[in-house]
Amino acid sequence: MDARIETKTIQTDRLLVSYLTAGVPEGEPLLLIHGNASANLFWDDTIAALCDQYRVYAPDMRGYGASEALPIDATRGLRDWSDDLHSFIRALGLPTPVHLAGWSLGGGIAMQFAIDHPQEVRSLILIAPMSPYGFGGTKDIAGNPCYSSFSGSGGGAVNSELVKRIAAKDMGNESPSSPRNVMNQLYFKPPFQVGPEQEDRYVRAILSTRTGEDFYPGTFEYVNDWPGVAPGTKGITNAISPKYVNLSGIVQMEPKCPILWIRGADDAIVSDQSLADFGTLGKRGYVPGWPGEDEYPPQPMVSQIRDVLEQYQRAGGSYQEIVMENVGHAPHIEKAEEFIELIRKTVRA
């Protein structure tokens, strides 16, 4: 890791937060929020590239990395993380508004923070963000659920073998479900790979994800609706279920900050045909009993994001969508130089 980047901890009024930081004292604060099954180490090159212009902070969010492992109340959607972020900013004594960038789940957290504290966000950068209507179980751009049970989302909708291998701290590549192979197949667009040392660092970041009922993936219930599992009330994957999260309220936020949405054209995770979504898996024949396109289509995640941002723009805000070709779920890593240039051009005082 770049020698300029420091690893620090701070006690907030909610939890003990571990974070990476670097930058010029006079620079504006830029906060980087990581995604699911990751940690702040996925930002190391981004921090190094931007620390000459900003004061950059990348916290490990609740349930990840070296921050205090406190349970996640899924019934609050993303608000546990939004509240944690607010207390982190307060504990550091940062001047607001801040620039806020979130990747994947972190994009959802950033949107929730902007809804909760609109006066405190100068600009919002959404990097392959989750849909405003959560992950799994919805069928149209308005985020309506396929079934009232919200089946196909939540703690039962994850790769249980991946969870086991995270819990076992598996650094290998023998299984298709090993964290290393999942990262290289789904986080990045093959054949892209980072160097061996950085790859090991990223895998260790994935392995820092806390597992269990209070964390990843969380609890779930068996239901009659296809595919047979519905959200529980605890843990990470339930917190991103459409049963508990709806970020379309960002349309009404005031004041409205500029939004930059960056995504990979070949993202396999956040997509209108996501390989992590039961609608897609059923349609492709990987999960038996699929009830069909009318009843349980693939979740139109990108279309849902665009529709909400179009509403945001019609309500007086502004957004820009940047699509990076030949890129998967991690634009800030796969096309780092292009990504950094976008940030420098967009995030201005």
Side-chain angles (χ1 to χ4, degrees), residues 166-216:
I166 290 174
K169 307 299 183 189
D170 177 10
M171 289 286 294
N173 61 3
E174 293 78 19
S175 166
S177 294
S178 73
R180 188 180 301 271
N181 285 334
V182 169
M183 177 181 74
N184 284 322
Q185 290 297 314
L186 292 181
Y187 290 27
F188 312 135
K189 182 190 177 184
F192 177 88
Q193 278 186 281
V194 296
E197 182 180 333
Q198 190 160 26
E199 182 173 290
D200 283 348
R201 198 156 67 246
Y202 289 166
V203 173
R204 283 193 292 271
I206 295 172
L207 297 180
S208 75
T209 303
R210 306 303 207 285
T211 57
E213 290 192 348
D214 286 323
F215 300 105
Y216 183 67

Side-chain angles (χ1 to χ4, degrees), residues 61-76:
M61 303 305 288
R62 176 186 298 234
Y64 305 93
S67 287
E68 185 178 1
L70 294 180
I72 291 144
D73 179 358
T75 66
R76 304 189 70 228

Side-chain angles (χ1 to χ4, degrees), residues 31-113:
L31 279 80
L32 306 175
I33 313 303
H34 65 77
N36 189 15
S38 67
N40 60 15
L41 289 173
F42 275 85
W43 292 116
D44 53 4
D45 284 350
T46 306
I47 298 169
L50 291 171
C51 67
D52 64 335
Q53 187 173 351
Y54 306 99
R55 276 188 289 164
V56 189
Y57 301 88
D60 278 331
M61 303 305 288
R62 176 186 298 234
Y64 305 93
S67 287
E68 185 178 1
L70 294 180
I72 291 144
D73 179 358
T75 66
R76 304 189 70 228
L78 308 183
R79 289 184 179 87
D80 271 356
W81 290 302
S82 173
D83 290 350
D84 289 348
L85 185 57
H86 190 248
S87 69
F88 176 67
I89 291 170
R90 286 287 176 271
L92 289 171
L94 298 184
T96 56
V98 300
H99 301 288
L100 195 55
W103 171 43
S104 195
L105 165 61
I109 295 170
M111 282 190 274
Q112 184 67 63
F113 184 91

Side-chain angles (χ1 to χ4, degrees), residues 4 8 16 25 40 74 103 118 120 165 177 199 208 221 247 259 263 267 332:
R4 293 170 295 176
K8 295 185 174 184
L16 183 68
N40 60 15
W103 171 43
E120 300 192 19
R165 290 181 177 273
S177 294
E199 182 173 290
S208 75
E221 298 176 0
L247 304 172
I259 296 176
R263 66 181 182 89
D267 191 336
H332 62 296

Side-chain angles (χ1 to χ4, degrees), residues 15-27:
L15 77 168
L16 183 68
V17 178
S18 176
Y19 65 101
L20 302 176
T21 186
V24 290
E26 67 277 10

Side-chain angles (χ1 to χ4, degrees), residues 16-349:
L16 183 68
V17 178
S18 176
Y19 65 101
L20 302 176
T21 186
V24 290
E26 67 277 10
E28 291 196 347
L30 169 63
L31 279 80
L32 306 175
I33 313 303
H34 65 77
N36 189 15
S38 67
N40 60 15
L41 289 173
F42 275 85
W43 292 116
D44 53 4
D45 284 350
T46 306
I47 298 169
L50 291 171
C51 67
D52 64 335
Q53 187 173 351
Y54 306 99
R55 276 188 289 164
V56 189
Y57 301 88
D60 278 331
M61 303 305 288
R62 176 186 298 234
Y64 305 93
S67 287
E68 185 178 1
L70 294 180
I72 291 144
D73 179 358
T75 66
R76 304 189 70 228
L78 308 183
R79 289 184 179 87
D80 271 356
W81 290 302
S82 173
D83 290 350
D84 289 348
L85 185 57
H86 190 248
S87 69
F88 176 67
I89 291 170
R90 286 287 176 271
L92 289 171
L94 298 184
T96 56
V98 300
H99 301 288
L100 195 55
W103 171 43
S104 195
L105 165 61
I109 295 170
M111 282 190 274
Q112 184 67 63
F113 184 91
I115 292 167
D116 296 341
H117 308 283
Q119 301 277 356
E120 300 192 19
V121 184
R122 185 180 291 273
S123 65
L124 197 56
I125 303 145
L126 306 176
I127 304 143
M130 59 179 272
S131 165
Y133 303 113
F135 201 98
T138 63
K139 61 184 178 182
D140 54 28
I141 62 169
N144 289 304
C146 299
Y147 298 117
S148 60
S149 64
F150 293 91
S151 62
S153 69
V158 300
N159 180 340
S160 60
E161 185 63 26
L162 171 63
V163 177
K164 289 177 188 173
R165 290 181 177 273
I166 290 174
K169 307 299 183 189
D170 177 10
M171 289 286 294
N173 61 3
E174 293 78 19
S175 166
S177 294
S178 73
R180 188 180 301 271
N181 285 334
V182 169
M183 177 181 74
N184 284 322
Q185 290 297 314
L186 292 181
Y187 290 27
F188 312 135
K189 182 190 177 184
F192 177 88
Q193 278 186 281
V194 296
E197 182 180 333
Q198 190 160 26
E199 182 173 290
D200 283 348
R201 198 156 67 246
Y202 289 166
V203 173
R204 283 193 292 271
I206 295 172
L207 297 180
S208 75
T209 303
R210 306 303 207 285
T211 57
E213 290 192 348
D214 286 323
F215 300 105
Y216 183 67
T219 55
F220 68 93
E221 298 176 0
Y222 292 108
V223 293
N224 291 326
D225 298 326
W226 188 88
V229 289
T233 59
K234 300 193 293 185
I236 289 166
T237 318
N238 294 306
I240 62 173
S241 164
K243 183 173 183 177
Y244 303 119
V245 64
N246 185 331
L247 304 172
S248 63
I250 199 167
V251 172
Q252 284 82 42
M253 73 175 275
E254 292 294 344
K256 287 181 166 62
C257 64
I259 296 176
L260 175 64
W261 172 26
I262 304 170
R263 66 181 182 89
D266 301 302
D267 191 336
I269 296 177
V270 176
S271 164
D272 284 0
Q273 299 286 331
S274 169
L275 295 179
D277 174 57
F278 268 117
T280 304
L281 297 174
K283 184 177 181 178
R284 295 189 178 196
Y286 297 128
V287 180
W290 182 57
E293 193 90 31
D294 290 342
E295 212 164 302
Y296 208 117
Q299 180 183 353
M301 301 179 190
V302 170
S303 298
Q304 289 173 342
I305 297 167
R306 187 179 296 113
D307 183 64
V308 167
L309 293 181
E310 285 289 327
Q311 291 180 53
Y312 182 83
Q313 187 160 271
R314 288 195 297 272
S318 65
Y319 87 96
Q320 182 181 13
E321 177 184 356
I322 301 291
V323 183
M324 291 188 175
E325 298 299 325
N326 205 35
V327 168
H329 189 57
H332 62 296
I333 296 170
E334 295 171 82
K335 286 199 175 174
E337 289 184 11
E338 187 177 331
F339 173 80
I340 294 300
E341 282 308 305
L342 280 170
I343 302 303
R344 290 195 190 279
K345 288 176 185 174
T346 305
V347 182
R348 299 187 184 279

